[in-house]
Amino acid sequence: MPYPLLPIAPAKWSLILALLSMPLVAQTPQLPEAPFPLGKADLPETRTITPLSPGVTHLHVERGRKPTGRGWALESRSMTDKSEVATLRDRLREAGLRRVDEHWFKSPSDGEPYCVLLAGEFDTKLDARRALLGLSFREVLQVRNRAGLDDWDGGPWMLDLVIVDPKHFHGKIVAAREERSIRPSEFARKRGALVAINASLFHFSLDDLDGVPAGTAIMQGEWYNEPNGGSILFIENTPEGPRLSISYDPPPVPVIEWASGKTAPLNGIGRMPRGDEITVLRPEIFATSQLSHFLPEGVLAAQVWEDGRLIPIVSASHWDPRSLVLLARGKGRTLLEQTITSGERMKPVDLRVPGRPGLNAAYGIPVLIRDGQPNVVQVGRPYHRTSRTAMGADAGGRVYILTVDGDAYDPPADGRLGSVGASYAELTAIFQHLGAINAIHLDSGGSTTMAINGEVANHPYNVQFEHGDGIERPVPDSILVID
C-alpha cells in the first residue's frame, strides 16, 4: 500500500532545496592569486581550470610569450677557472662566432661560481649543429637554446597540474606496471584511471630485460623493484585518503626462506642476477622476455612449487606461469642447486610489504622539498631546463601532480605557445608557490606525460623528432589516480 506524504516545515524545505542545488563536483580548490614564479613577474599568464571528479581538478597554465628568432647557440661545459673561460671565449670568437655570452651560476652545494658560455646566434637547431661540426674543438661544446638555461626570463611555459583533495576524493592513487613498458595513456585506459603520469626513472634495457625501474618500486603493497639507496616517493592509501611522503628509508626487503627456518638475502627484484646474487622475477615479466626460451650462460632459473620443492626451469613449457621465478648466478646458483639436489623444502617468496596493502612507491631524484625545507640540488646541471614530471603535497594532504612541457623552443606548428621546460630550482619554486611541504622530481625529458581520461593532456617531447608532438614514450610504471 502507498505511504502517506508527511508535511514538511518551510525551514526544512529550504534546507532540502539548498542540498539539491549543491554542485555534484566538489568546490574548485583555492589557488594562489599571484602568478606562478617563472620568469619576469609581468609576463602574461592564463589559467584554465577543469573539475575532473569530486576532489580532482586539472589546472592548465600558459605563461610568457612566444620566443622570437635566433635563439640557438653552442654551449660550453661548466668552467670554474676564469682563465679557462677567457681562452675558450677567444677561440669561439676566432672561429667566427661574434656573439659569445658568459652565464655565471653558483654551485648549489658549496656556492662556488661557475660559468657556461653560449656562442653564436642561429635560427634553427640544424644550423647550430652544422656550425658545431665545423669546429675542431667541438668535443667541449653542444647545441643549446638560450631559453634552455634558467636565467632566461621570458618563457614561455606550459604547465599541467592535477590537484587531488583527500577531503573530497574517495578513490586511490596507485603505482602500476604491466608485463612490458607501455605508454601512460595506455596505463590509464587499461586500469580505468582518471589521471596517469610517468613515474620512476628507469633503464631502457638492463641485462636481457627491457624497462627496468632504476630504484624502489612498490605497487599496492607489493615489491616490484628493490631499493637503490636513493630517494623514494611513497603514496599510501588510507581510510582518510591518499597520503604522500618522501624518504630514503624503504620497508624491509623480502628474504628467501626455507621450511627449516634458514634464510638467505634476496639480492634483487625484477632484474637479472649479477656475481653471486639471487633475484626474483614476476612470472608475467619472465614470460614476455627472452628468458622463458633462453637463459644466459651461468644463470639458473627455478620455482618453488606448492609442495615446497625447488624445481629448475629447463624449457619454455616446463614452468608455472602463476609463480615467481628465482634467478641465480655464482654462489647463489650453488646454494639453489644444493636445495634442488637435497630436496630441502622452501617457502614461496612473499613480495608483500607486511601490514601495508595500500603502499605504493617510486624512485625519484632529486628531492625538491622535504618536511617544508627546500633541498640543495646537486644533480647534473641544475640550471638546465627540460620537460619535467613531479609530485608534491601540502600540510593539508592535498596532492599535486605536475608536468611541465619542455624543449619546445621554436613556435610549434599547431600554433600553441610552446614551452621551455623547467630547472630544478624552478620546480621547487612552483611547489613552494602551491604551499607544498614535500615534493620530488620523477623521470622527465622525453618520458614526461600526463594523460587525463585516457588521452594525452600535455605535449611530450619526442627525442627522435625533436619537438613536443604528443608522441608518448613507453615507460615501465605509471602513477594513476583512480576514482
Side-chain angles (χ1 to χ4, degrees):
M1 70 182 272
Y3 292 94
L5 294 175
L6 298 176
I8 300 177
K12 291 186 176 180
W13 272 117
S14 299
L15 175 60
I16 292 170
L17 291 172
L19 291 171
L20 291 174
S21 65
M22 289 178 65
L24 294 176
V25 178
Q27 184 180 2
T28 301
Q30 292 295 315
L31 294 166
E33 293 184 3
F36 276 78
L38 296 168
K40 294 181 290 187
D42 62 350
L43 291 175
E45 179 177 305
T46 62
R47 303 181 182 185
T48 305
I49 299 175
T50 307
L52 301 178
S53 181
V56 185
T57 304
H58 173 220
L59 171 67
H60 177 75
V61 179
E62 298 190 5
R63 179 168 173 77
R65 301 179 179 89
K66 289 185 179 181
T68 55
R70 304 187 69 79
W72 291 99
L74 305 184
E75 180 192 36
S76 73
R77 64 176 181 268
S78 303
M79 297 172 285
T80 57
D81 189 327
K82 290 186 178 180
S83 63
E84 184 183 9
V85 172
T87 299
L88 182 56
R89 183 185 61 225
D90 292 344
R91 292 187 73 184
L92 289 164
R93 285 176 176 164
E94 289 169 4
L97 298 165
R98 286 180 290 183
R99 180 179 177 182
V100 182
D101 300 328
E102 296 182 14
H103 294 257
W104 286 90
F105 302 91
K106 287 187 176 180
S107 168
S109 57
D110 57 16
E112 182 181 4
Y114 60 93
C115 180
V116 173
L117 295 179
L118 286 180
E121 294 179 283
F122 303 96
D123 288 325
T124 68
K125 193 173 188 177
L126 181 59
D127 290 340
R129 280 180 174 163
R130 286 171 176 156
L132 177 64
L133 291 174
L135 298 177
S136 61
F137 53 99
R138 56 182 174 271
E139 68 277 359
V140 300
L141 301 167
Q142 63 179 337
V143 173
R144 172 71 57 179
N145 194 285
R146 293 179 183 276
L149 303 185
D150 70 3
D151 57 358
W152 175 277
D153 60 5
W157 290 273
M158 294 175 63
L159 289 66
D160 286 281
L161 177 69
V162 168
I163 305 166
V164 180
D165 187 345
K167 294 178 182 177
H168 304 286
F169 174 67
H170 302 295
K172 295 181 178 181
I173 302 178
V174 302
R177 180 167 186 183
E178 294 291 329
E179 64 272 10
R180 57 170 63 89
S181 294
I182 63 173
R183 295 172 174 86
S185 65
E186 295 179 272
F187 273 107
R189 290 190 291 269
K190 291 188 75 169
R191 303 296 182 94
L194 187 63
V195 179
I197 58 166
N198 61 292
S200 299
L201 287 84
F202 68 96
H203 304 284
F204 280 105
S205 179
L206 182 68
D207 301 332
D208 301 302
L209 293 173
D210 295 329
V212 179
T216 302
I218 299 173
M219 298 173 190
Q220 300 184 69
E222 294 195 15
W223 283 96
Y224 275 72
N225 203 78
E226 82 270 17
N228 66 349
S231 45
I232 309 166
L233 166 67
F234 286 110
I235 305 166
E236 188 146 20
N237 292 290
T238 72
E240 293 75 34
R243 295 288 183 265
L244 183 148
S245 62
I246 295 167
S247 177
Y248 293 87
D249 301 319
V253 177
V255 298
I256 301 168
E257 189 172 1
W258 282 258
S260 63
K262 179 178 69 175
T263 62
L266 182 62
N267 305 114
I269 303 169
R271 65 170 177 84
M272 296 294 292
R274 306 186 192 100
D276 297 316
E277 289 183 333
I278 302 174
T279 65
V280 66
L281 276 188
R282 292 183 174 274
E284 64 271 18
I285 295 175
F286 183 80
T288 55
S289 73
Q290 65 176 358
L291 300 175
S292 60
H293 290 76
F294 171 78
L295 286 172
E297 184 177 355
V299 174
L300 169 70
Q303 290 180 300
V304 179
W305 282 31
E306 291 180 355
D307 61 2
R309 289 181 300 153
L310 183 64
I311 305 298
I313 298 174
V314 295
S315 70
S317 60
H318 189 69
W319 69 287
D320 184 354
R322 301 166 299 174
S323 300
L324 298 170
V325 178
L326 290 171
L327 302 171
R329 285 183 182 271
K331 293 179 182 178
R333 174 177 179 148
T334 300
L335 178 61
L336 295 189
E337 286 177 333
Q338 290 171 349
T339 300
I340 293 168
T341 302
S342 68
E344 186 178 1
R345 296 312 198 242
M346 297 184 69
K347 294 182 179 180
V349 176
D350 189 352
L351 295 181
R352 292 174 296 179
V353 180
R356 302 181 75 177
L359 184 64
N360 299 267
Y363 169 52
I365 188 173
V367 173
L368 304 171
I369 305 170
R370 188 179 180 199
D371 297 331
Q373 298 300 312
N375 184 33
V376 177
V377 176
Q378 304 180 46
V379 178
R381 292 183 163 189
Y383 55 84
H384 270 182
R385 289 176 173 142
T386 188
S387 307
R388 301 290 185 187
T389 304
M391 287 186 68
D394 64 19
R398 289 203 301 186
V399 175
Y400 301 100
I401 303 171
L402 174 70
T403 60
V404 182
D405 288 351
D407 302 282
Y409 304 112
D410 300 322
D414 61 6
R416 70 180 185 276
L417 187 63
S419 187
V420 300
S423 66
Y424 294 139
E426 289 171 325
L427 273 185
T428 302
I430 290 170
F431 280 106
Q432 288 179 308
H433 180 69
L434 295 168
I437 61 169
N438 287 300
I440 191 169
H441 174 253
L442 299 171
D443 191 23
S444 289
S447 297
T448 289
T449 303
M450 177 181 288
I452 295 176
N453 290 319
E455 300 295 331
V456 180
N458 72 320
H459 295 85
Y461 173 71
N462 188 287
V463 177
Q464 286 75 27
F465 296 104
E466 298 188 334
H467 57 80
D469 53 12
I471 298 177
E472 304 166 77
R473 172 186 288 171
V475 295
D477 59 347
S478 278
I479 292 173
L480 311 177
V481 179
I482 299 177
D483 197 5

